[in-house]
Amino acid sequence: MQENEQKFTSGNVNYYIGQNSLKFLSDYLKKINRFFILVDENTEVNCLPVLNKILSKDITGDIIQIKSGEDNKNLDTCNLIWEKLTNFNADRDNLVINLGGGVITDIGGFTASTYKRGMKFINIPTTLLGQVDAAIGGKTGVDFKEYKNHIGLFSNPESVFIDPVFLNTLNKRQLRSGFAEILKYAFIMDPMLTDIINNRSFSEIGNDWGKIIHKSAIDKITVVEKDEKENGFRKILNFGHTIGHALETWFLKTDNPITHGEAVAAGMICETWLSHEFTGLKEDEMDKIISLIDKSFERIIFKSDTFDDLLSLTKQDKKVRGGSSRYSLLKSSGEAVFDIPVEDNWMLRSLEFYIMDK
Ligand SMILES: NC(=O)c1ccc[n+]([C@@H]2O[C@H](COP(=O)([O-])OP(=O)(O)OC[C@H]3O[C@@H](n4cnc5c(N)ncnc54)[C@H](O)[C@@H]3O)[C@@H](O)[C@H]2O)c1
Ligand SMILES: [Zn+2]
């Protein structure tokens, strides 16, 4: 896999990345006898026309539309999708095209993989978060009761088409959300990406989006290639996510939910501080990382009376082993380590650091 390659295969998945990579789709679909396109109401309006413009007129698929948003990433929506596939007489050798953000690729991958013991599917991510993260790596599934991503399976799409054209209609807040994951790759594994970002906020990236998306997607593919089922190394992708997930879940219950990226940005600040305390991250590197995050993300406001709730939310996390939470932390800027035990009082101190630091 080359740095600038637009088309390559990794672990049986074909990747098409970059501007105009969608042009490969027509040829691809000519070989398929029937396909279905899964959309939500926003991607139906904003992304389906882009796709249809690229496909030749004789290539059409049936549309399956679901409601947008995390609230709908559940088994009820799966039932609707399975019902539609059944009514369409869909067969195992047909294809599902997931056209949307992480919600669509997660639920679309799951429903396709379980329908008649598994249909083929491809991902066409349309959010920045989807393009650099959710559409890659084979994790599919839905939320169950209050548990996020509780039901699901590892199942890979046949292909992933990552074309920045879709980002033109994405709002600023969603774009910024994906940028948190890009910063994460820079911090955990990719000093070159840090150089390309060159101290800019997400709104100053301009013409470099293509390069940055390409590099981030390849970073994720590289990690997944080494440890597909998250037995070890893949856990480095959890940097910022132990505390990030706790914040995301806590704010979901309020009138002001925050995006995944906003939560992860805050989590990365706390966990960067923990990295300085636990895994030898130098103070000047810590300062640089935190200031780069602060350039794109305002600090989230929460008070110390929420700390205990947040702590217990990290405890429900899948990464908990025998009472002590294990974190993925930074050894240096560009290198991460995983399974680092962090005691509760240190987690609380990192929250204190977050709210006091500014
Ligand atoms: N499987 C994985 O490895 C993985 C990794 C990270 C996140 N995820 C999952 O991804 C989900 C979050 O993904 P997301 O941030 O993409 O959210 P999302 O799919 O909810 O999309 C965000 C919003 O943008 C809209 N939208 C999508 N593309 C658009 C476009 N091009 N123009 C205009 N609007 C558009 C959607 O309709 C939605 O309202 C979560 O459920 C998370 O658990 C999965
Ligand atoms: Zn994430």
Side-chain angles (χ1 to χ4, degrees):
M1 167 167 74
Q2 294 292 310
E3 278 301 308
N4 297 313
E5 214 172 354
Q6 207 183 5
K7 187 175 162 214
F8 57 87
T9 302
S10 161
N12 289 333
V13 183
N14 306 307
Y15 291 94
Y16 303 84
I17 309 183
Q19 216 164 17
N20 294 325
S21 56
L22 270 184
K23 67 175 184 252
F24 295 107
L25 188 64
S26 275
D27 279 348
Y28 188 90
L29 291 178
K30 278 182 195 143
K31 291 177 236 147
I32 307 282
N33 62 10
R34 194 172 180 205
F35 64 91
F36 305 92
I37 307 178
L38 182 69
V39 290
D40 64 29
E41 68 264 30
N42 299 321
T43 63
E44 180 165 29
V45 173
N46 294 298
C47 308
L48 195 56
V50 178
L51 194 72
N52 284 335
K53 221 161 111 188
I54 282 148
L55 297 180
S56 42
K57 294 237 160 24
D58 54 327
I59 305 178
T60 52
D62 292 299
I63 308 298
I64 300 177
Q65 197 234 57
I66 61 169
K67 287 205 187 104
S68 68
E70 187 71 25
D71 289 355
N72 296 299
K73 201 179 96 174
N74 56 33
L75 288 172
D76 290 338
T77 309
C78 291
N79 277 337
L80 291 176
I81 298 171
W82 286 320
E83 205 171 307
K84 283 268 167 69
L85 289 170
T86 307
N87 292 341
F88 280 132
N89 280 322
D91 238 320
R92 212 190 306 177
D93 61 348
N94 299 159
L95 177 82
V96 173
I97 300 181
N98 296 317
L99 181 67
V103 168
I104 287 285
T105 52
D106 273 14
I107 197 168
F110 174 65
T111 47
S113 306
T114 45
Y115 179 83
K116 293 198 175 175
R117 299 196 177 85
M119 283 175 82
K120 293 181 283 193
F121 66 98
I122 66 175
N123 287 340
I124 307 183
T126 62
T127 60
L128 183 59
L129 190 104
Q131 300 199 337
V132 300
D133 191 359
I136 302 165
K139 284 187 179 176
T140 72
V142 293
D143 305 333
F144 181 69
K145 300 185 189 286
E146 69 269 39
Y147 306 107
K148 226 176 115 68
N149 301 325
H150 200 62
I151 308 289
L153 67 151
F154 283 97
S155 177
N156 269 314
E158 278 209 345
S159 298
V160 183
F161 292 82
I162 299 175
D163 195 322
V165 64
F166 294 112
L167 305 184
N168 296 336
T169 53
L170 202 63
N171 69 39
K172 235 177 149 180
R173 195 171 182 195
Q174 291 297 342
L175 198 66
R176 194 176 51 179
S177 179
F179 194 62
E181 302 290 355
I182 290 173
L183 291 175
K184 181 189 78 180
Y185 297 125
F187 302 148
I188 62 171
M189 64 189 287
D190 195 346
M192 251 165 82
L193 183 55
T194 310
D195 289 346
I196 298 171
I197 294 167
N198 193 18
N199 242 347
R200 287 176 290 179
S201 82
F202 84 104
S203 55
E204 298 165 326
I205 297 300
N207 291 333
D208 286 336
W209 274 117
K211 216 190 296 179
I212 287 176
I213 291 169
H214 195 280
K215 206 135 193 347
S216 303
I218 289 194
D219 285 341
K220 171 120 190 215
I221 294 164
T222 307
V223 173
V224 170
E225 220 170 42
K226 289 193 180 144
D227 174 22
E228 202 186 346
K229 297 275 166 73
E230 201 173 293
N231 295 316
F233 182 66
R234 184 171 175 168
K235 292 183 192 172
I236 64 168
L237 298 174
N238 294 331
F239 173 62
H241 282 64
T242 305
I243 293 175
H245 271 153
L247 284 162
E248 190 178 8
T249 311
W250 194 87
F251 275 93
L252 256 183
K253 291 179 286 186
T254 70
D255 293 334
N256 299 308
I258 56 177
T259 63
H260 180 70
E262 287 160 357
V264 168
M268 286 197 292
I269 291 179
C270 299
E271 295 178 24
T272 297
W273 181 81
L274 288 170
S275 302
H276 175 55
E277 299 294 327
F278 282 81
T279 46
L281 180 72
K282 296 204 176 73
E283 187 163 352
D284 62 324
E285 289 189 311
M286 169 175 80
D287 292 343
K288 274 192 199 148
I289 289 170
I290 292 175
S291 96
L292 187 54
I293 300 171
D294 281 332
K295 278 204 158 139
S296 291
F297 294 88
E298 274 177 31
R299 295 286 173 107
I300 297 166
I301 312 276
F302 55 93
K303 299 210 174 79
S304 49
D305 58 7
T306 61
F307 284 11
D308 281 341
D309 281 359
L310 291 169
L311 176 65
S312 60
L313 284 167
T314 65
K315 294 276 161 195
Q316 279 164 25
D317 197 278
K318 294 184 277 293
K319 293 171 278 295
V320 174
R321 295 266 181 287
S324 79
S325 297
R326 286 173 186 262
Y327 284 64
S328 299
L329 298 177
L330 304 175
K331 230 170 113 174
S332 63
S333 183
E335 192 185 357
V337 282
F338 56 90
D339 275 347
I340 307 298
V342 172
E343 286 161 16
D344 295 357
N345 64 322
W346 283 98
M347 182 275 179
L348 295 170
R349 285 179 68 180
S350 79
L351 294 176
E352 192 76 36
F353 169 79
Y354 180 85
I355 62 170
M356 299 299 285
D357 181 44
K358 272 262 131 173

